Amino acid sequence: MNKLFHILHYLWNVFSQVVTGVTCVTAIYIIAFWGTNVNIGVEILWQILSVSAVCSLGSLILYNEKREFSKKEMLVRCCTLFAYVDIIVLACGSHFHWFDFFNWKMVAGMELCIIAVFTATMAISSLAAQKEAAAMNKKLQERQD
């Protein structure tokens, strides 16, 4: 049960970071490519939440509480996760008509948005992991003293 809690906690943290990032870049993307006078329905909120949830599930590629990954293994896992996220967002974005595949500027803009959110999420997760490791090392040091 404790393991399930840790996994769900991890997924919730990733999901909240992804949704925040996606919401920010979505606002910019809509203004840049659809203009300020576009009428958008509430369904886009559900689309953002569902796509973010599916993308967040992919982060389990990076989850392992038993051991640290080597740098090479982590790089492969990060590239695999990026490919997963990229495919999900582009497929769902096309399905939801967020962009037109025949408009290279819209596709390039979407790709920049994907890269921005992915990079920000990875950076935040990495900083949080470093902070947690530092706190654990500090407690271990205090116990040894």
Side-chain angles (χ1 to χ4, degrees):
M1 186 65 159
N2 198 21
K3 182 177 181 178
L4 178 62
F5 174 77
H6 284 289
I7 292 170
L8 291 175
H9 185 261
Y10 172 78
L11 285 173
W12 178 256
N13 285 339
V14 172
F15 174 73
S16 62
Q17 293 168 12
V18 170
V19 168
T20 301
V22 169
T23 303
C24 292
V25 299
T26 298
I28 296 166
Y29 183 88
I30 289 170
I31 291 169
F33 292 103
W34 297 99
T36 56
N37 294 326
V38 66
N39 287 326
I40 297 175
V42 71
E43 66 272 0
I44 195 166
L45 297 174
W46 292 109
Q47 294 166 1
I48 288 170
L49 290 171
S50 61
V51 171
S52 296
V54 173
C55 288
S56 296
L57 286 174
S59 70
L60 291 174
I61 293 168
L62 303 178
Y63 183 81
N64 190 341
E65 63 183 23
K66 294 183 180 179
R67 68 174 182 88
E68 296 264 337
F69 298 122
S70 69
K71 288 182 181 184
K72 184 177 180 181
E73 189 177 14
M74 191 63 171
L75 178 63
V76 169
R77 287 174 179 265
C78 285
C79 290
T80 303
L81 176 57
F82 179 79
Y84 169 83
V85 168
D86 201 38
I87 290 167
I88 294 298
V89 175
L90 291 176
C92 290
S94 177
H95 175 74
F96 294 137
H97 306 289
W98 292 347
F99 61 90
D100 179 6
F101 261 119
F102 298 106
N103 183 335
W104 71 269
K105 289 181 181 178
M106 289 183 105
V107 175
M110 183 62 66
E111 197 62 42
L112 286 173
C113 290
I114 295 166
I115 292 167
V117 173
F118 185 85
T119 303
T121 302
M122 292 298 291
I124 291 167
S125 295
S126 178
L127 290 172
Q130 288 175 359
K131 185 177 178 182
E132 184 179 343
M136 287 175 22
N137 286 334
K138 183 179 177 184
K139 283 187 179 188
L140 287 172
Q141 186 63 39
E142 288 172 357
R143 286 185 182 175
Q144 289 177 353
D145 291 340

